[in-house]
Amino acid sequence: MTTLTKTEGERAPSGSEAFLSVRDLRVRFSTEDGIVKAVDGLSFDVERGKTLGIVGESGSGKSVTNLTVLGLHNPQTSTVEGEIVLDGKELVTATEKEMEKLRGNKVAMIFQDPLTALSPYYTVGRQIAEPFMKHTGASKKEAKARAIEMLDKVGIPQPAMRFNDYPHQFSGGMRQRAMIAMALICDPDLLIADEPTTALDVTVQAQILDLLKDLQQEFGSAIIFITHDLGVISKMADDLLVMYSGRAVERGTVREVLRAPQHPYTWGLLSSMPRLGGDTAQALTPIPGTPPSLLNPPTGCPFHPRCGFTSEVGGTRCTDERPQLPDGRGAACHLDGEQKQTLFIEQIKPRLG
Amino acid sequence: MSDKLTLPKPQGPVDGAAEPLLSVEGLTKHFPIYGGFPIKRKVGAVQAVDGVDLTVGVGESVGLVGESGCGKSTTGRLITRLLEPTAGRITYSGQDISHASRRQLAPVRSEIQMIFQDPYSSLNPRQTVGTIIKSPMEVNGIKPKGGIEKRVHELLELVGLNPEHYNRFPHEFSGGQRQRIGVARALSLNPKLIVADEPVSALDVSIQAQVVNLLQKVQEEMGIAFLFIAHDLAIVRHFSQRLAVMYLGKVVEVGDRDSIYNRPRHPYTHALLSAVPEVTLDDETEDRERIRLAGDVPSPIHPPSGCRFRTRCWKAQDKCATEEPPLIQISGNRDNHLTACHFPEDPTTEARAEDVVLDPALAALEKEAE
Ligand SMILES: Nc1ncnc2c1ncn2[C@@H]1O[C@H](COP(=O)(O)OP(=O)(O)OP(=O)(O)O)[C@@H](O)[C@H]1O
Ligand SMILES: Nc1ncnc2c1ncn2[C@@H]1O[C@H](COP(=O)(O)OP(=O)(O)O)[C@@H](O)[C@H]1O
Ligand code: SF4
Ligand code: SF4
Ligand SMILES: [Mg+2]
Ligand SMILES: [Mg+2]
């Protein structure tokens, strides 16, 4: 593998070498209503063999970020700025032909709704085998054998027979398994999973999540796992990025972020969510207000209209000055380190029951 | 575990004091499937709900959980009489309403209201918020003290909306706000029972708690009973005093919150609870049992014979295929905790000596990794 040449300050959270490195990414769409700043200055790293979780509410820019990594945006309506370096190669400036070679080979994707990714007109088997033929030059027979092997691996019963089924003949859980088979068949270095289990039932979700984790052990791929569910993230990810309004507001290992969160938005997510072991007499603490508009994002800190801690910062910093997310572990918030710690321990943690 | 049975006890609210407001016995809905050409005839049926027993006490909140397609919404729509039952009995306040006509239903209808999952499609986009909230009162000829307009303003305030929003249209509101409009509309007729079908599932994580807290306020302060339908087990636990777990058209276990979440007996309840991804906040290692089922829920067109869970159950024996287990208070259950299973599990959710992993792909990968 190639070694990355990196400048100072562009280091992965844990200090080891990043396989995917995104720097100051900005994605804008021009719409009838104006410019949508879907992603606004996002930086993160993904390490080989590790899982980066991205959480955030809908519209926070999770999907746009990852479609951008895959080069799937229409250049007519969108502009992309910043840097995406995958295994030493710059992707923002890459040609469509180069990107096509990457997709399905080095980088693969699993979507929330397998029906949008699978064509209804071709058999499941053919759709799994084709990218393998295209990227490895394998014969039709070899590709079929490999596809059947993959279907078996992801738990499709009687894979040789089911190879000839069409997507509508599969249940929701089986379709998601087929998507995983299709994504992994070329042994990708990076797998992007965008809410892969949101549409599934909870018992099926548990099966699929464990399956993905076990397969990662075997294939050694890096995974970007996108979800709005903190519970799912805590089971799947090593590192975690919390997104709000097109920006990363907190970053750290999953342990760090979930056990000692530093950003008021992360606090809000945790205290608004009931838990199976929680105290039912304790009322939930919702995040007030509504998610921000991306056409007219709030000034300063994008969370300030909903934040209960602006007075702790004092003055008008929260409304005027955009807080920066430090490299490595940290949160984009004007509260100082000690405030973040004491406020969490004294005011937030007791509510988490 | 013994499968010795004790006599069935009637279900009822936990404290046993309140009389049931709603009671449902053997409730069944089969949707016919038509096929054939040129003459269409019935070729089968979706057994969406098949013999459900359920009670809701006055002011009580009962949760209904289960996986997609198990019949939760259909049950809710039967109870609110948006659907006609195929069989079974629905008794509301001592009155049999299973097949009541529109006219007979009229007085009851205002007392049972429904809140829907999708705050987008359940509100008429061409009506103002004021019209949406007041029309049930007009239709039912209800004249609140101080007039309809005043009542609408009160309701808007109660659900946390600005009364100045009276003349706005639904599309001007966010999902959470639209759900509040739905709640205000449901409250306009002073209901005694609200069937809430996945009221927060379509909302953003950061907004769900706002609506859950509002519904809780309504339930506690106004004494309105709830049938709370949801697939999120943590939210249902937070909201409901009692709970029914459904699988493929049947209630497989029912009991108070503690019995279901801490002392479950039905293997499916165990599997369901064990599948919930929980955020672990402290350093304690996970001490919950791990159960991973195989495959998906079978089709309700051809449900398995006997116990419907048997095709995915690790405890299944021959008896499970031939005899349907009745929903009863099996030995070891507390009062009002009923379980439909021939070979129930121990009443604990603690980790087992060995995980139950039925998924063949998972089992293979985990064996390899050892
Ligand atoms: N009008 C209908 N005609 C035919 N089948 C129906 C009809 N309505 C529901 N069903 C079927 O009945 C079963 C139960 O549906 P229901 O909507 O009650 O499930 P649910 O438990 O609410 O699921 P979800 O969690 O997905 O909302 C499903 O198999 C569904 O496809
Ligand atoms: N093709 C597009 N044109 C205009 N706006 C878009 C487009 N795709 C996404 N957006 C907007 O970008 C924002 C972020 O979207 P997305 O990344 O899909 O959010 P999520 O975090 O839910 O995945 C949203 O406001 C969305 O409406
Ligand atoms: S910067 Fe200010 S508004 Fe933003 S999260 Fe921190 S305290 Fe809240
Ligand atoms: S009756 Fe049999 S198949 Fe059904 S849940 Fe109990 S043990 Fe499993
Ligand atoms: Mg998305
Ligand atoms: Mg439903």
Side-chain angles (χ1 to χ4, degrees):
Chain A
M1 289 283 109
T2 46
T3 38
L4 295 176
T5 42
K6 300 169 99 219
T7 54
E8 291 269 305
E10 290 189 358
R11 287 166 58 81
S14 63
S16 51
E17 185 174 287
F19 170 62
L20 171 73
S21 184
V22 171
R23 285 295 165 273
D24 202 24
L25 184 69
R26 286 164 205 274
V27 185
R28 299 197 171 90
F29 297 101
S30 42
T31 68
E32 277 178 21
D33 299 325
I35 304 284
V36 174
K37 292 184 182 177
V39 178
D40 193 23
L42 182 68
S43 302
F44 64 85
D45 293 304
V46 187
E47 289 172 52
R48 227 172 255 288
K50 288 271 183 87
T51 300
L52 171 75
I54 302 184
V55 295
E57 54 201 35
S58 92
S60 58
K62 308 181 295 294
S63 299
V64 168
T65 302
N66 289 286
L67 291 173
T68 309
V69 171
L70 289 162
L72 287 177
H73 283 304
N74 178 356
Q76 305 287 314
T77 56
S78 63
T79 55
V80 178
E81 288 165 30
E83 218 178 73
I84 303 172
V85 180
L86 178 81
D87 202 5
K89 175 149 185 49
E90 206 335 288
L91 300 188
V92 172
T93 52
T95 63
E96 174 53 26
K97 215 169 140 207
E98 289 170 312
M99 289 309 293
E100 207 163 292
K101 231 175 98 194
L102 274 177
R103 282 194 295 265
N105 186 18
K106 230 177 160 76
V107 189
M109 182 131 183
I110 307 174
F111 296 93
Q112 169 172 349
D113 180 6
L115 275 187
T116 58
L118 293 169
S119 159
Y121 305 111
Y122 300 104
T123 63
V124 170
R126 176 167 169 189
Q127 293 183 63
I128 295 173
E130 225 148 56
F132 187 67
M133 284 162 64
K134 182 172 138 203
H135 291 297
T136 65
S139 73
K140 212 168 163 181
K141 209 172 134 206
E142 288 163 343
K144 181 171 177 179
R146 171 86 175 142
I148 291 173
E149 186 194 327
M150 286 306 297
L151 283 171
D152 185 44
K153 194 150 225 128
V154 298
I156 303 287
Q158 298 162 300
M161 244 170 73
R162 304 308 294 254
F163 181 91
N164 297 313
D165 279 2
Y166 289 86
H168 74 265
Q169 291 169 283
F170 275 26
S171 70
M174 279 164 67
R175 275 183 218 132
Q176 205 51 283
R177 285 171 196 259
M179 279 257 288
I180 295 176
M182 189 157 98
L184 290 180
I185 195 163
C186 293
D187 200 357
D189 296 317
L190 175 67
L191 181 65
I192 298 178
D194 191 349
E195 310 245 9
T197 56
T198 306
L200 299 176
D201 274 323
V202 56
T203 61
V204 180
Q205 164 171 286
Q207 293 160 224
I208 301 275
L209 292 180
D210 286 5
L211 185 68
L212 260 181
K213 245 189 341 207
D214 289 348
L215 287 170
Q216 182 180 27
Q217 294 272 316
E218 186 176 323
F219 285 74
S221 321
I223 297 183
I224 299 180
F225 195 101
I226 304 167
T227 174
H228 60 267
D229 187 329
L230 282 175
V232 168
I233 270 299
S234 77
K235 298 282 164 281
M236 294 303 291
D238 301 298
D239 297 313
L240 181 53
L241 198 67
V242 182
M243 281 189 75
Y244 188 78
S245 190
R247 306 168 186 188
V249 296
E250 179 157 7
R251 149 170 54 221
T253 65
V254 164
R255 261 178 92 86
E256 287 166 341
V257 177
L258 293 182
R259 296 191 184 175
Q262 296 180 350
H263 197 282
Y265 175 64
T266 318
W267 298 345
L269 283 181
L270 282 167
S271 33
S272 63
M273 184 182 73
R275 298 190 310 122
L276 273 189
D279 176 4
T280 49
Q282 176 89 49
L284 306 176
T285 318
I287 301 178
T290 50
S293 145
L294 296 181
L295 284 168
N296 277 308
T299 56
C301 170
F303 191 56
H304 86 255
R306 305 172 78 187
C307 184
F309 300 94
T310 49
S311 61
E312 301 282 342
V313 173
T316 56
R317 276 184 83 198
C318 292
T319 48
D320 295 349
E321 189 187 324
R322 174 170 170 172
Q324 296 301 315
L325 179 67
D327 283 334
R329 170 75 185 122
C333 168
H334 292 311
L335 293 167
D336 65 38
E338 203 182 304
Q339 282 174 313
K340 284 173 183 151
Q341 200 180 351
T342 42
L343 285 171
F344 175 69
I345 290 171
E346 285 169 13
Q347 297 192 23
I348 310 298
K349 204 163 179 214
R351 285 192 222 144
L352 301 180
Chain B
M1 190 88 289
S2 99
D3 61 338
K4 214 177 104 234
L5 309 174
T6 51
L7 278 181
K9 285 243 172 80
Q11 287 174 244
V14 201
D15 51 32
E19 82 267 24
L21 177 68
L22 173 83
S23 105
V24 162
E25 287 157 74
L27 190 64
T28 300
K29 180 72 189 179
H30 291 182
F31 294 102
I33 306 169
Y34 296 98
F37 185 82
I39 300 159
K40 278 210 160 95
R41 57 189 179 86
K42 193 179 157 204
V43 293
V46 181
Q47 303 182 22
V49 173
D50 201 53
V52 160
D53 297 341
L54 199 70
T55 61
V56 181
V58 173
E60 189 191 23
S61 86
V62 175
L64 190 58
V65 297
E67 296 180 282
S68 183
C70 72
K72 305 181 297 292
S73 298
T74 306
T75 303
R77 298 170 74 85
L78 288 167
I79 288 169
T80 47
R81 287 297 319 274
L82 292 169
L83 282 174
E84 188 72 15
T86 310
R89 193 152 68 149
I90 307 168
T91 315
Y92 176 80
S93 270
Q95 192 186 344
D96 184 345
I97 59 162
S98 339
H99 300 283
S101 68
R102 263 191 103 79
R103 233 188 49 218
Q104 290 167 316
L105 261 184
V108 174
R109 187 149 256 162
S110 61
E111 293 186 10
I112 310 178
Q113 290 296 313
M114 189 143 180
I115 299 172
F116 297 91
Q117 165 169 0
D118 186 355
Y120 300 86
S121 63
S122 59
L123 303 175
N124 185 338
R126 278 180 293 273
Q127 287 183 339
T128 64
V129 170
T131 310
I132 288 170
I133 297 173
K134 76 182 176 195
S135 67
M137 289 189 271
E138 289 172 349
V139 168
N140 287 276
I142 288 175
K143 298 194 175 64
K145 253 188 259 143
I148 283 189
E149 307 289 313
K150 179 158 168 276
R151 177 77 182 133
V152 173
H153 280 94
E154 279 169 16
L155 286 166
L156 282 170
E157 220 157 294
L158 179 77
V159 299
L161 290 173
N162 190 335
E164 285 161 21
H165 292 160
Y166 192 95
N167 286 317
R168 302 244 191 113
F169 289 89
H171 72 256
E172 298 173 55
F173 293 89
S174 68
Q177 287 173 320
R178 286 184 226 201
Q179 205 52 302
R180 288 170 195 272
I181 299 169
V183 175
R185 177 178 59 182
L187 292 176
S188 66
L189 296 174
N190 296 314
K192 295 207 170 86
L193 171 67
I194 292 180
V195 175
D197 189 358
E198 307 261 10
V200 299
S201 313
L203 303 178
D204 242 311
V205 248
S206 78
I207 304 299
Q208 287 189 352
Q210 294 178 6
V211 176
V212 170
N213 283 0
L214 169 64
L215 294 177
Q216 207 156 26
K217 180 174 109 179
V218 164
Q219 195 244 332
E220 283 165 5
E221 290 174 14
M222 306 172 76
I224 298 174
F226 269 82
L227 183 65
F228 189 91
I229 300 174
H231 63 264
D232 183 325
L233 278 99
I235 289 186
V236 177
R237 176 177 175 275
H238 184 80
F239 191 82
S240 309
Q241 290 135 7
R242 225 151 46 76
L243 224 84
V245 180
M246 279 186 82
Y247 187 79
L248 263 185
K250 292 195 184 286
V251 172
V252 296
E253 187 153 30
V254 58
D256 60 60
R257 174 157 52 202
D258 184 49
S259 297
I260 297 295
Y261 284 90
N262 299 323
R263 303 173 47 82
R265 305 299 303 280
H266 199 283
Y268 177 62
T269 313
H270 279 260
L272 203 55
L273 286 171
S274 134
V276 176
E278 270 262 87
V279 174
T280 29
L281 293 167
D282 31 42
D283 276 318
E284 282 166 35
T285 47
E286 278 251 42
D287 51 3
R288 284 167 60 212
E289 61 186 344
R290 178 165 172 264
I291 299 166
R292 294 295 177 262
L293 299 177
D296 303 278
V297 184
S299 150
I301 302 172
H302 303 288
S305 65
C307 173
R308 293 189 170 186
F309 186 55
R310 70 176 165 82
T311 53
R312 299 168 86 201
C313 181
W314 59 97
K315 298 204 78 180
Q317 299 183 27
D318 293 347
K319 186 182 180 183
C320 304
T322 52
E323 252 177 73
E324 183 180 333
L327 183 67
I328 51 177
Q329 184 182 352
I330 54 174
S331 119
N333 279 11
R334 295 181 187 152
D335 282 357
N336 300 317
H337 177 189
L338 314 183
T339 308
C341 175
H342 295 308
F343 309 106
E345 284 288 347
D346 289 345
T348 171
T349 57
E350 265 173 40
R352 304 167 184 234
E354 233 178 288
D355 293 343
V356 178
V357 179
L358 305 177
D359 190 302
L362 265 186
L365 284 162
E366 279 167 26
K367 192 142 172 263
E368 234 171 76
E370 259 170 28

